[in-house]
């Protein structure tokens, strides 16, 4: 769906998508393509992304799941909406070194956490999946795989760092203490 990056519209799309998501299949995602606009800097897109995610979260009328921390800089934090943990990916026209994160417009992908259950359910399958992903990124990106790519729940992993990948391999700072504070 092609829309402007409007928190109200995205919140409504998530309210429609999430209750039906399992009926779409195990590997479903909600992908939002925005209308073409003037290309911003990577930093401007990062600010836009996090402000948009915070605004979408503020429109959520469902309580945050009790088993998911609200503190973003926590290894078990995940964006949640409508009571559902969701992995979010941002792609932009300003991504150059990470072609895997480049798109012609500002683009958001929302993947329910349960999508990863079969893929990352045990150490063997997780290692295989991460190896495949890193192998695919190597010839595609002009920079080595981000060290922020990790396994949810691992003590050193921070999901927020994977949502918006930087053009360097330096760990980004946490954008907010929490989204609903």
């Amino acid at each position: 769906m092609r829309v402007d990056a409007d928190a109200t519209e995205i919140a409504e799309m998530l309210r429609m998508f999430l209750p039906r998501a399992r009926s779409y299949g195990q590997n479903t995602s909600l992908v939002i393509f925005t209308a073409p606009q003037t290309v911003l800097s990577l930093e401007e897109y990062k600010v836009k992304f996090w402000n948009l995610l915070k605004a979408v979260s503020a429109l959520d009328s469902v309580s945050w799941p009790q088993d998911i921390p609200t503190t973003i800089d926590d290894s078990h934090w995940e964006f949640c909406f409508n009571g559902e943990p969701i992995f979010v990916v941002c792609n932009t026209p300003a991504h150059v070194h990470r072609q895997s994160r480049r798109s012609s417009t500002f683009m958001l992908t929302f993947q329910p956490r349960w999508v990863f259950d079969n893929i990352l359910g045990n150490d063997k399958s997780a290692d295989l999946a991460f190896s495949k992903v890193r192998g695919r990124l190597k010839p595609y990106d002009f920079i080595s795989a981000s060290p922020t790519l990790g396994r949810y729940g691992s003590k050193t992993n921070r999901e927020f760092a994977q949502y918006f990948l930087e053009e360097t391999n330096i760990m980004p700072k946490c954008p907010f203490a929490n989204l609903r504070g």
Side-chain angles (χ1 to χ4, degrees):
M1 182 174 287
R2 188 177 286 273
V3 298
D4 289 327
D6 177 82
T8 304
E9 290 178 352
I10 292 171
E12 187 56 34
M13 286 182 227
L14 285 168
R15 281 188 199 96
M16 292 171 35
F17 168 73
L18 291 168
R20 298 177 179 98
R22 290 184 192 272
S23 70
Y24 301 144
Q26 176 60 40
N27 297 317
T28 190
S29 298
L30 172 64
V31 181
I32 299 172
F33 300 87
T34 61
Q37 296 177 348
T38 303
V39 176
L40 305 175
S41 71
L42 196 64
E43 184 62 26
E44 288 170 311
Y45 279 119
K46 181 170 69 171
V47 169
K48 178 179 181 173
F49 168 71
W50 282 108
N51 287 336
L52 183 60
L53 213 56
K54 187 170 181 71
V56 169
S57 185
L59 295 169
D60 190 1
S61 59
V62 176
S63 297
W64 196 267
Q66 289 186 349
D67 59 333
I68 306 290
T70 57
T71 303
I72 294 175
D73 194 13
D74 185 293
S75 63
H76 287 90
W77 179 85
E78 184 82 89
F79 176 73
C80 296
F81 192 87
N82 208 40
E84 188 80 50
I86 305 167
F87 185 78
V88 185
V89 172
C90 183
N91 299 70
T92 77
H95 278 92
V96 175
H97 299 296
R98 293 201 194 283
Q99 289 290 297
S100 58
R101 290 294 177 109
R102 185 174 177 82
S103 68
S104 59
T105 67
F106 182 71
M107 184 176 95
L108 303 172
T109 303
F110 295 87
Q111 297 174 286
R113 169 58 45 200
W114 53 260
V115 167
F116 300 100
D117 289 348
N118 288 340
I119 300 167
L120 307 175
N122 60 57
D123 288 339
K124 184 178 179 179
S125 62
D127 290 346
L128 179 62
F130 284 122
S131 175
K132 281 185 179 180
V133 168
R134 283 182 175 83
R136 289 179 181 162
L137 292 177
K138 195 171 187 174
Y140 196 62
D141 286 349
F142 299 115
I143 188 171
S144 60
S146 174
T148 64
L149 298 177
R151 188 170 181 187
Y152 177 75
S154 164
K155 286 184 179 187
T156 59
N157 185 62
R158 296 296 183 267
E159 292 294 282
F160 82 85
Q162 298 178 66
Y163 287 10
F164 191 101
L165 288 184
E166 302 282 347
E167 291 276 80
T168 67
N169 281 335
I170 298 169
M171 180 68 168
K173 292 183 180 177
C174 194
F176 300 106
N178 59 60
L179 290 179
R180 288 191 172 183

